[in-house]
Amino acid sequence: MKHASKLIRQHILSLLSDGQFHSGEAIAAEVGLSRTAVAGHINQLTKWGLDVFKVKGKGYRLERPFELLTADRIKKQLTKNNTAVIQVESVLASTNTELKKRISVAPHNLADGDVLLAEIQTAGKGRHGRPWLAPVGGSLTFSLYWSFPDGYQSMAGLSLLVGLAVCNGLKKCGVPDTQLKWPNDVYLQNKKLAGILIEVEGQIGATAHCVIGIGLNVCMPDAQFDVGQPHTDLTTYLGYTPDRNSVAAAIIDALWELLPIFSQQGFQPFINQWELLDLYADKTVVLRMGDKRFSGIDRGVDASGALLVETQDGLTRFHGGEVTLRGN
């Protein structure tokens, strides 16, 4: 039953994605259900963030049309040779959670570079467990699997490397001036554009199974969507809404290009590239660690991905996960 509901919602989503009116009767005939059942499914999709409105006598319509994500369209635009699997799901609680589940059940079934994308995430989360909410069709949310046979210690600086890959991918999409906020945010014109959430499964001393989660704002109008901090999206910057399949392909390509080098050499080769994109380079920053606050000048990062801050006590290293950073 659960699988059937999933397929029905996927079908309804694909019908509505053209932005035209569709009568309840027409949708019901298409999916083989009563109009009441269709209304129930649409109501659930609305709760998950699908922007549907209903007009008597005309039916249901989306606020704006959007291109559905499809694995085929993404694959056609990839330039890197990789046998990894690209999978798109219409509804998931969270792409990170789903990949972690697969790791716990059968990690041998996953290959480095496998990607899972979702149109709708019902329980996505960001840093410190904060909810990551995104309008349906207005964001790109996906997770990529990568393994590190040498364990946790070989992952130092990974979130910074991923941020760099996202910026490289976006450059190919006509967005050349993104910046990076240590340790895991992508900024555009001083507003947050994307967030990165890295989660790891595995025992100390064994292979680290890594899930790289990325959430990117594609079309998230300020007036309609509050994420609790200044944010921007690709549509605002470009003046049109890009095809999310193309954006996904560009970022996946960039990740596939950089991750093998990182796996072999660590973050050291990427320090200079990251520092060129550092949002707060040579500026005063404030770091919060629990109840303590530190202030100093951002002096870049080291090979472990630690932030180097010039404080009154000298050059101090801060590690991701420990601190919250903001501009002064």
Side-chain angles (χ1 to χ4, degrees), residues 64 132-135 138-140 193 216-227 231-236:
R64 56 179 185 79
W132 172 272
L133 299 168
S139 67
L140 188 57
L193 176 69
L216 172 73
N217 302 335
V218 178
C219 183
M220 291 176 61
D222 256 333
Q224 290 178 23
F225 207 76
D226 178 21
V227 295
H231 68 276
T232 189
D233 57 24
L234 295 180
T235 301
T236 301

Side-chain angles (χ1 to χ4, degrees), residues 22-29 33-35 38 42 54 58-60:
H22 295 267
S23 70
E25 195 175 5
I27 297 172
L33 292 175
S34 68
R35 291 200 320 200
V38 164
I42 290 176
K54 188 181 179 185
K58 284 190 167 184
Y60 301 96

